């Protein structure tokens, strides 16, 4: 059995690697063509071809994370179909490789792909994607989103803070910061504006600060005190990852960072539905590799004619694309319809698990 397992693992790993490299090369070409429109826009010292190539290269881990379940499906379908076409799988069956043992063999292989997908999506992709965004910001200008940038909320004692960060600078700092402080009755207690700032462990270091403090001596009397300071140490629990989460896509964050950001939003009475769905998607998405290897097993029990393998591989490509589309559709629909976040993220994998097990039972156990 060890020899059979090694054969299946070697063939599957080489096929998945070949398919993955092909898809990554295709995405690299498309991304490079898209980035060429920015080359030279900021002058000879700005965004050049080398910067575009660096940006596209740093985006490869994000594509790898998204593509791994699809390439695992295509690669394993190709291997199982080829083994069936050449009658090698029939010889394995006569050597004692029963359906359940074959399933356990593929599940062990799938667990390896699960760990690889999780490592890429949780450790490698967030780092390289942030580096790619900073490369682009350094040569094209500041990084921002929407018309007003990122808005965050924090509660400090009985007061609440509404914090606005207009953009991120090329070196990772914050630009055009505004803080609105409200008292327990919901009235403005102070406002703060800063030209720039950096995030510390439990504070922000703000530069060129203008403050307006509202002193109330009664219901009808109020006095405004205006202050200007070159530097200000503003205490806050808002971290750099939280600011980045508001300015960048949540699917590019690590799972632990998403979890901490969700807790911050809930503690301050903000909606976290979008980030909860993304959190559970990051939890369940690597497990889809298990679903894909199970879906490929029935192809080993089909009877192929000469040249018929291409059609089944094409079917695997369509199945992988449909899973990717279904995953996105459920994410958007769950956010709009306020569905349960964990069920929204798990539904595509559950649907494909049922389909793969049904195909396994019909093609394998009943024959």
């Amino acid at each position: 059995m060890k020899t059979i397992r090694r054969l299946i693992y070697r063939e599957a790993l080489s096929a998945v690697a070949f398919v993955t490299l092909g898809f990554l090369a295709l995405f690299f070409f498309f991304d490079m063509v898209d980035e060429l429109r920015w080359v030279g826009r900021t002058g000879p010292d700005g965004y050049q071809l080398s910067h575009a190539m660096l940006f596209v290269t740093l985006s490869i881990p994000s594509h790898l994370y998204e593509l791994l379940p699809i390439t695992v499906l295509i690669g394993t379908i190709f291997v199982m179909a080829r083994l069936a076409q050449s009658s090698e799988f029939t010889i394995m069956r006569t050597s004692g490789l029963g359906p359940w043992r074959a399933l356990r063999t593929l599940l062990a292989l799938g667990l390896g792909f699960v760990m690889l997908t999780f490592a890429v999506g949780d450790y490698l992709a967030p780092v390289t994607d942030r580096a790619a965004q900073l490369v682009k910001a350094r040569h094209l200008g500041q990084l921002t989103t929407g018309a007003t940038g990122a808005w965050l909320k924090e509660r400090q004692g009985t007061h609440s803070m509404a914090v606005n960060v207009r953009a991120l600078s090329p070196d990772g700092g914050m630009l055009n910061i505004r803080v609105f402080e409200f008292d327990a009755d919901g009235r403005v207690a102070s406002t703060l504006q800063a030209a720039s700032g950096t995030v510390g462990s439990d504070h922000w270091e703000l530069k060129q600060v203008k403050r307006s403090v509202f002193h109330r001596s009664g219901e009808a009397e109020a006095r405004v005190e205006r202050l200007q300071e070159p530097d200000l140490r503003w205490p806050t629990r808002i971290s750099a990852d939280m600011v980045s989460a508001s300015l960048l896509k949540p699917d590019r964050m690590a799972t632990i960072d998403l979890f901490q950001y969700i807790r911050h939003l809930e503690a301050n009475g903000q909606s976290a539905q979008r980030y909860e769905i993304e959190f559970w998607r990051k939890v369940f998405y690597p497990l889809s590799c298990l679903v894909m290897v199970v879906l490929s097993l029935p192809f080993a029990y089909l009877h192929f004619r000469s040249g018929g393998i291409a059609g089944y591989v094409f079917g695997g490509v369509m199945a992988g694309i449909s899973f990717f589309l279904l995953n996105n559709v459920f994410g958007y629909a769950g956010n709009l319809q306020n569905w349960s976040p964990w069920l929204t993220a798990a539904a595509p994998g559950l649907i494909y698990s049922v389909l793969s097990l049904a195909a396994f039972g019909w093609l394998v156990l009943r024959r």
Side-chain angles (χ1 to χ4, degrees):
M1 281 303 128
K2 289 184 179 180
T3 303
I4 293 176
R5 282 198 300 268
R6 283 199 297 266
L7 173 64
I8 294 175
Y9 290 165
R10 184 177 67 249
E11 294 292 329
L13 288 173
S14 60
V16 170
F18 180 78
V19 174
T20 303
L21 286 174
F23 271 102
L24 288 178
L26 192 63
F27 274 85
F28 183 90
F29 174 75
F30 289 149
D31 288 348
M32 194 65 204
V33 171
D34 185 61
E35 285 301 308
L36 289 177
R37 60 195 174 102
W38 300 106
V39 174
R41 282 200 174 186
T42 54
D45 297 327
Y47 197 66
Q48 300 301 315
L49 183 61
S50 59
H51 304 136
M53 292 190 67
L54 178 60
F55 175 83
V56 174
T57 303
L58 290 172
S59 301
I60 287 178
S62 296
H63 291 312
L64 177 62
Y65 172 71
E66 295 169 352
L67 289 170
L68 265 174
I70 301 174
T71 58
V72 165
L73 176 63
I74 297 172
T76 51
I77 284 179
F78 174 77
V79 169
M80 293 295 104
R82 190 175 61 80
L83 291 176
Q85 186 184 41
S86 61
S87 299
E88 290 180 76
F89 196 78
T90 302
I91 298 173
M92 294 179 187
R93 291 170 63 186
T94 58
S95 302
L97 184 66
W100 294 113
R101 182 168 290 179
L103 180 62
R104 289 197 300 270
T105 300
L106 287 183
L107 285 177
L109 178 66
L111 282 174
F113 287 119
V114 166
M115 291 186 288
L116 175 62
T117 305
F118 177 79
V120 171
D122 218 54
Y123 296 101
L124 183 59
V127 174
T128 57
D129 190 71
R130 184 172 300 177
Q133 295 296 334
L134 290 178
V135 166
K136 204 166 188 178
R138 184 174 294 113
H139 300 284
L140 282 177
Q142 60 192 22
L143 177 65
T144 185
T145 182
T148 58
W151 284 92
L152 302 103
K153 188 178 179 181
E154 183 183 39
R155 190 175 299 277
Q156 296 183 359
T158 59
H159 287 209
S160 61
M161 308 287 180
V163 183
N164 174 230
V165 179
R166 180 66 182 85
L168 294 180
S169 63
D171 60 357
M174 299 176 292
L175 300 175
N176 299 331
I177 304 162
R178 294 185 296 171
V179 180
F180 301 89
E181 180 181 1
F182 300 90
D183 60 19
D185 298 323
R187 297 177 298 187
V188 178
S190 67
T191 63
L192 181 151
Q193 291 183 334
S196 61
T198 56
V199 179
S201 57
D202 57 353
H203 66 280
W204 287 6
E205 293 287 349
L206 304 178
K207 306 291 184 182
Q208 301 178 29
V209 180
K210 297 180 181 179
R211 299 178 62 195
S212 297
V213 182
F214 298 88
H215 301 279
R216 290 182 174 85
S217 55
E219 290 294 333
E221 295 184 9
R223 179 173 58 87
V224 180
E225 181 182 5
R226 302 187 185 278
L227 304 170
Q228 291 190 7
E229 303 176 55
D231 302 288
L232 177 65
R233 184 187 177 98
W234 182 61
T236 179
R237 296 187 302 274
I238 300 176
S239 65
D241 290 329
M242 295 177 184
V243 178
S244 298
S246 299
L247 286 168
L248 302 176
K249 295 180 180 179
D251 59 347
R252 298 295 187 254
M253 297 174 64
T255 305
I256 187 64
D257 294 333
L258 264 175
F259 179 72
Q260 292 173 350
Y261 188 59
I262 290 168
R263 292 188 62 184
H264 169 80
L265 293 176
E266 291 176 342
N268 291 279
Q270 293 179 276
S271 174
Q273 175 77 6
R274 175 192 177 196
Y275 297 95
E276 287 178 339
I277 291 176
E278 198 57 50
F279 170 78
W280 286 108
R281 282 181 65 180
K282 290 188 75 70
V283 171
F284 287 113
Y285 191 73
L287 297 175
S288 59
C289 291
L290 287 176
V291 180
M292 297 308 171
V293 295
V294 174
L295 191 60
S296 69
L297 181 58
F299 286 83
Y301 292 85
L302 296 174
H303 298 288
F304 292 92
R305 295 180 179 179
S306 179
I309 191 172
Y312 290 98
V313 173
F314 178 76
V317 174
M318 293 297 101
I321 293 175
S322 66
F323 174 79
F324 183 77
L325 293 176
L326 190 66
N327 206 29
N328 287 335
V329 167
F330 267 82
Y332 293 130
N335 196 23
L336 290 174
Q337 301 297 326
N338 202 29
W339 293 346
S340 173
W342 73 267
L343 185 59
T344 300
L350 292 174
I351 292 172
Y352 271 72
S353 296
V354 172
L355 292 176
S356 60
L357 291 175
F360 178 74
W362 182 65
L363 288 173
V364 180
L365 300 183
R366 292 187 60 186
R367 296 178 62 174

